[in-house]
Every structure is written in C-alpha cells, then in structure tokens.
Amino acid sequence: MTGFVHLRLHTEYSLVDGVVRVDALMDAVVAAGMPAVAMTDRSNLFALVKFHSAAQKAGLKPLIGVDLLTGGVDGQGEPTLLTLLVQDATGFGNLSRLISRAWLEGQQSGQPVVDRQWLVAESLQGLIALSGGREGDVGRALLAGRREEALALLRGWQALFGDRYYLEVSRTGREHEEACIEATLDLIRDLPTAIVATHDVRFIAPSDFEAHEARVCIHGGQLLDDPARPRRYSA
C-alpha cells in the first residue's frame, strides 16, 4: 500500500458523519505502510491540531483538507461536493476564510455552502482540488447524461486551478460509481485531466459501520431501524 494515500477521510470531528478516531487512524495508516494521510472533514477544521500532531508523532505526513459544499454556477440546484487540500500557508489561509464565510454567509437549510462566486483565482491560491466524484458537479452532470455541461464545468475548474484540479473516482460499491468512472474516463478523451482514486473513508473497521450509521441518522433526524431511510454508505 506504499503507493496509495487516503485523500478523502472524515474523522470523528466531522459534524455530518465519520467515526474515525485520530489515534486509531494513525495506527492503521502505519500498519498499512502508507507514508501520509489526509483529513477532509465536512466544512470544518476542528481536528486539525490533534490530527497534525498525531501524524507527525507517528512519522506520517499530515495532509490537511476539507470537503466543501458548493452552490451551482447560477445559484440554482442542489449543492455539490468539492474537496480542497492545503498546498502551503497561503492555501491554509484561503481555506480557513472560505470555511468561515460559508458558515457566516452561505448557510442553506442549516448547511454551510460556499457560493461559487467566492471561488476565484486569488481565493484558491495554494489549494488543490478534487472533483468530488459522483457527488461533484462534473460527476452529477455526467451521470445525468449532460456531457457538454460536464465539459464546460471542467474547463471552468481548470481555468481556476490549472493543473491543481483532479477528477476523482472511487470504487466502494456504492450506487452509480461504475457509471461515473466510465463516463469520467470518456470525458478526458476530449479534455485531458489528471485523475485520482479515493476511497471516501468514514470508519476504519467493518465493526464500526453501525456506529457510523447511528451518527448519520442523528444528523439527519432519522431512525436507525427505518427500512425506508436512504443509505448512502455500505459496510
């Protein structure tokens, strides 16, 4: 596993989901022989100090990031996912400002959302972007069969990030993942873009799945034993 690094991972400090304890995470990463690990909690950096300290103590490179919800290009439609990873001190400052602004000015139905108009070259300096896969705007356009729209969105992101924007694919057994992978690979035939594979970690061991599901239900105001509730994740 020395050639793979987790770039999307929610710790127990994620307010939406995630039951990964920081110390247990470092033990698991060291045991897997990985040199680094990223933290991308949803819309917050609460775990930053503990995560950074624990990673350095374990001899690992800590990668700091956040999963953000972003509004549509025209302000319409459901927010989509965009992951931003810190590249340098300038990027950390920019990410901190975007998170704060989302909480103060961008809340939609109780969720902090980054307005697309806030994302300009200056506010994105020092940041690396992952597309969000099937939950990102490019992925959703592809899954809806709107390939030209996906191309336009991809061109827009490339104009902002240059070679710091990566199309993201995941294979975790969730709905529509394979279709998204196939459509993404087809898309880059027309517009070459680097691709990165992620695993979207929310818990470490299969035995942690029920605890994770309970946390998701608490956040969504749902009952754990409701057979009709949506299940976004699988063990």
Side-chain angles (χ1 to χ4, degrees), residues 102-171:
W103 281 101
L104 292 171
E105 302 177 28
Q107 291 204 37
Q108 298 180 17
S109 302
Q111 297 187 103
V113 177
V114 172
D115 191 309
R116 192 67 64 100
Q117 295 182 1
W118 305 344
L119 302 179
V120 296
E122 183 178 0
S123 68
L124 297 173
Q125 286 182 0
L127 293 170
I128 296 169
L130 308 185
S131 70
R134 63 179 188 146
E135 296 182 72
D137 57 358
V138 174
R140 286 191 182 177
L142 288 173
L143 289 174
R146 302 192 299 268
R147 192 173 187 277
E148 290 305 313
E149 178 184 334
L151 277 170
L153 289 166
L154 179 53
R155 290 190 182 98
W157 289 124
Q158 288 182 337
L160 287 173
F161 287 98
D163 62 1
R164 295 178 288 114
Y165 180 84
Y166 292 80
L167 285 171
E168 183 180 2
V169 294
S170 298
R171 181 171 281 144

Side-chain angles (χ1 to χ4, degrees), residues 10-26:
H10 285 191
T11 74
E12 62 181 325
Y13 288 82
S14 182
L15 300 180
V16 177
D17 54 16
V19 293
V20 176
R21 295 183 179 275
V22 173
D23 290 337
L25 169 65
M26 300 309 165

